[in-house]
Amino acid sequence: MPSSPEIEAYSAEADRFIAELDEEYYQHYAGLKDKLELEDIYGRHAKLMELENVQAVGAAVNGDRRIRELWQFGCEGYLGKFTREHAEKLAELEAELEVTVDGETLPFRMIRPEMANEADRGKREQLDRAMWEATEEHLNPVYLDGVEIVRRELPSLGVSTYVELYERFGFRLRDLAAQCQAFLADTEQLYEERMDRASRALLGISLDDLARWDVQRLIRSPQWDEGFPGDKMVPALRATLADMGIDLDSQQNIKLDIEQRPQKTPRAFCSPIEVPDKVMLVIQPIGGADDWRAFFHEAGHAEHFGNTSRDLAMEEKRLGDTAVTEGWAMLMQHLTDEPGWLSRKLDFPRPDEYAAEGMLWLLFFVRRYSAKLLYELEFHAADDVSGMPKRYAELLGDALKFEITEANYLADIDSGFYVTAYLRSWAFESQLRDHLRERFGSDWFAQREAGSLLRELWSMGQKPTADELLKDVTGAEIQMSAVGDRVREHLS
């Protein structure tokens, strides 16, 4: 069993490894670097991923959460060293792949934004088919090889399945899955009614006729573009934070990267390279409401990491329960469909109508991720994954009520059961928001006292779990049903 100094040395090196990894991911996905180069980083910190060192950290856990976080990090690093070439190859393929539709060549990473902005339904279908054909041909063989390698290595970590590994880390997967099944059943009729209404209103087609290539257009919400001008996005964030007593311009540790670059990923992200001293907030604007949602979501991450106390241990700053930081991201994101905030910051027309649409998309994504968790549990428990493409399409199609491509059955799986972080964060945020409204009023987002509370909670980093944080602030347990209650408040 390692000594305390050995554990501290392992932790310190893990801190440098994560910082270098986040810097590399930032450089590549921000479009500043053509290739994602992980080999040298893994090579410099190879001892972290050596099996005997990972096993030694695991043997030292003995109920100590901080060491358990290190053990989880070590296990994920051990598996990651076998699949880092796959990650590099996938990133390279995504950056280099192009598709041709109607004689027009388009970078692979720009297909989704193009689909979202494309008014012609036939063109959207062509883009969708080109994307999934490229995925099936070029990406899925790499994904599948990575899956097989991870499965091969699991016994070295003392488990037979990925599910068993994460249950040992303390993930309550089956309890959350049961809540998700109940959520899907409880919200099915409401979802069908409101999704049908939205599809008819914007696209002129019923839910029965809705296709997957239409959904990006629906989420894009082009009818609201005029209300969400790009040049007001950063000023609105600055003013919102100012109302809560937070001066964005004085936060030199939080850097905004909003430039458009050809190889920059369209998916917004926050890269906390040094917590709290260097936090990168990155977005590639595509315009409109969805762009604002993404920007404010990532701003929530940035404020959380940027306000985290320097006095915390590495594990409490960088590791821990990711539902916490996702919860703060959701809290900021959902300001953009809060009627009072819209009226105050944007002089927005028909804010209640837009807020109702925002709740429909919350319902959509929670249903999608609920089905995704059920799928991932089946996938990781399956002896043979050859039948999983069909099962993926069945589970997600049943939740969303339109045809799902089987080709996405591998790309849609995030490592580390990250799906659980999103699910729990939606419940955490719904319940915390109710508390903020009760304590500070419906315009809590304009109250300095609320800002003071948020900064206090942000300073705790990832030390408490989302469950502990919610319990401490509100006295309540995290419940997925809270999301259903919030949605009904606006949609019923």
Side-chain angles (χ1 to χ4, degrees):
M1 185 177 298
S3 64
S4 292
E6 288 173 327
I7 289 291
E8 293 304 322
Y10 188 92
S11 175
E13 185 166 352
D15 181 56
R16 292 303 84 210
F17 171 75
I18 296 170
E20 291 175 29
L21 214 55
D22 281 348
E23 177 73 46
E24 182 68 18
Y25 277 109
Y26 163 68
Q27 291 286 330
H28 175 70
Y29 286 104
L32 296 167
K33 193 176 175 190
D34 290 339
K35 288 190 175 183
L36 181 68
E37 297 174 305
L38 304 179
E39 185 174 355
D40 286 348
I41 298 173
Y42 274 85
R44 282 194 296 275
H45 303 283
K47 288 185 178 180
L48 290 171
M49 278 66 77
E50 289 178 1
L51 183 58
E52 61 181 23
N53 291 331
V54 174
Q55 290 172 331
V57 173
V61 173
N62 195 29
D64 186 314
R65 180 190 293 173
R66 184 187 164 202
I67 299 179
R68 188 179 71 185
E69 296 290 351
L70 270 183
W71 178 48
Q72 180 179 335
F73 161 82
C75 289
E76 290 173 343
Y78 173 75
L79 296 174
K81 74 177 181 180
F82 292 103
T83 58
R84 68 175 182 268
E85 290 182 5
H86 298 74
E88 290 174 341
K89 182 63 175 176
L90 288 165
E92 181 181 350
L93 286 169
E94 286 184 4
E96 294 179 353
L97 274 176
E98 294 180 333
V99 300
T100 301
V101 175
D102 275 351
E104 180 184 353
T105 301
L106 189 71
F108 181 83
R109 284 179 176 167
M110 294 306 295
I111 298 176
R112 289 182 190 273
E114 189 73 16
M115 220 184 308
N117 285 313
E118 178 56 63
D120 183 81
R121 194 181 187 205
K123 180 69 175 292
R124 290 199 301 270
E125 179 179 358
Q126 288 181 294
L127 288 164
D128 177 88
R129 295 194 184 283
M131 178 172 66
W132 295 122
E133 285 172 6
T135 298
E136 188 68 69
E137 180 181 354
H138 299 284
L139 303 180
N140 278 355
V142 184
Y143 278 120
L144 188 57
D145 191 49
V147 166
E148 291 170 350
I149 289 172
V150 167
R151 288 179 167 230
R152 181 195 73 199
E153 294 300 326
L154 284 171
S156 300
L157 298 174
V159 296
S160 57
T161 69
Y162 205 66
V163 174
E164 183 185 351
L165 181 64
Y166 278 82
E167 287 178 334
R168 290 194 181 184
F169 296 150
F171 283 50
R172 296 165 58 190
L173 297 170
R174 288 175 175 80
D175 174 66
L176 184 58
Q179 288 195 45
C180 288
Q181 286 177 316
F183 179 86
L184 287 168
D186 187 47
T187 61
E188 182 160 8
Q189 183 177 349
L190 178 63
Y191 172 80
E192 289 181 345
E193 291 172 356
R194 296 307 296 239
M195 194 67 172
D196 181 72
R197 185 185 303 183
S199 182
R200 290 177 186 275
L202 182 61
L203 301 178
I205 56 177
S206 69
L207 178 58
D208 289 340
D209 294 325
L210 187 72
R212 62 177 182 264
W213 46 85
D214 299 317
V215 177
Q216 290 291 329
R217 183 67 175 168
L218 270 177
I219 296 173
R220 168 73 175 78
S221 303
Q223 72 275 27
W224 299 106
D225 277 358
E226 196 172 314
F228 291 98
D231 61 348
K232 289 189 176 181
M233 193 160 62
V234 174
L237 174 64
R238 183 181 291 113
T240 299
L241 293 172
D243 284 348
M244 292 191 286
I246 302 166
D247 184 358
L248 179 63
D249 293 329
S250 71
Q251 293 179 301
Q252 298 301 311
N253 56 332
I254 298 176
K255 318 285 186 183
L256 301 186
D257 182 343
I258 57 174
E259 294 179 26
Q260 294 206 27
R261 304 184 189 99
Q263 294 304 322
K264 192 177 188 180
T265 179
R267 182 178 181 177
F269 68 96
C270 172
S271 188
I273 297 167
E274 301 288 355
V275 181
D277 297 314
K278 184 181 179 182
V279 179
M280 306 302 299
L281 172 53
V282 187
I283 187 170
Q284 172 107 316
I286 62 171
D290 193 47
D291 199 24
W292 279 62
R293 295 185 199 113
F295 179 65
F296 272 73
H297 181 98
E298 298 306 322
H301 283 306
E303 287 298 328
H304 175 220
F305 288 119
N307 281 278
T308 292
S309 171
R310 289 184 180 85
D311 297 331
L312 294 175
M314 184 282 287
E315 297 78 14
E316 298 162 345
K317 290 189 290 187
R318 291 196 181 273
L319 306 180
D321 181 7
T322 48
V324 174
T325 191
E326 291 299 344
W328 298 129
M330 297 298 178
L331 187 69
M332 290 296 292
Q333 173 186 328
H334 288 144
L335 285 179
T336 65
D337 49 40
E338 178 75 45
W341 183 89
L342 290 166
S343 298
R344 181 183 291 260
K345 294 301 174 203
L346 290 173
D347 191 23
F348 198 85
R350 310 192 313 278
D352 291 319
E353 183 181 334
Y354 178 75
E357 184 176 307
M359 288 301 101
L360 171 60
W361 293 120
L362 174 61
L363 179 58
F364 171 88
F365 281 110
V366 179
R367 287 182 63 85
R368 187 186 190 285
Y369 274 69
S370 292
K372 204 160 100 74
L373 174 60
L374 300 178
Y375 166 71
E376 289 185 20
L377 287 171
E378 287 193 24
F379 180 92
H380 289 302
D383 293 329
D384 178 7
V385 301
S386 62
M388 295 314 295
K390 181 179 179 181
R391 189 63 180 139
Y392 171 78
E394 288 173 349
L395 282 168
L396 272 80
D398 186 55
L400 301 178
K401 310 305 177 187
F402 55 83
E403 184 182 0
I404 303 294
T405 179
E406 295 183 4
N408 201 28
Y409 84 109
L410 293 170
D412 202 20
I413 298 176
D414 296 317
S415 63
F417 278 108
Y418 206 89
V419 59
T420 65
Y422 284 122
L423 287 164
R424 292 170 56 246
S425 76
W426 278 311
F428 168 79
E429 185 267 340
S430 291
Q431 292 169 269
L432 185 65
R433 172 183 170 274
D434 286 344
H435 174 78
L436 292 172
R437 285 163 60 95
E438 290 171 10
R439 184 168 172 182
F440 302 109
S442 59
D443 63 344
W444 63 267
F445 46 82
Q447 304 300 321
R448 284 179 172 265
E449 294 85 355
S452 295
L453 175 61
L454 290 178
R455 286 198 303 275
E456 178 186 341
L457 298 175
W458 289 336
S459 73
M460 300 166 72
Q462 303 272 98
K463 183 176 183 178
T465 65
D467 304 77
E468 291 167 344
L469 202 56
L470 188 68
K471 183 77 170 178
D472 184 52
V473 175
T474 72
E477 305 282 347
I478 287 181
Q479 293 292 335
M480 292 302 301
S481 59
V483 183
D485 294 339
R486 178 178 182 180
V487 167
R488 284 191 188 85
E489 177 187 338
H490 291 276
L491 292 186
S492 295

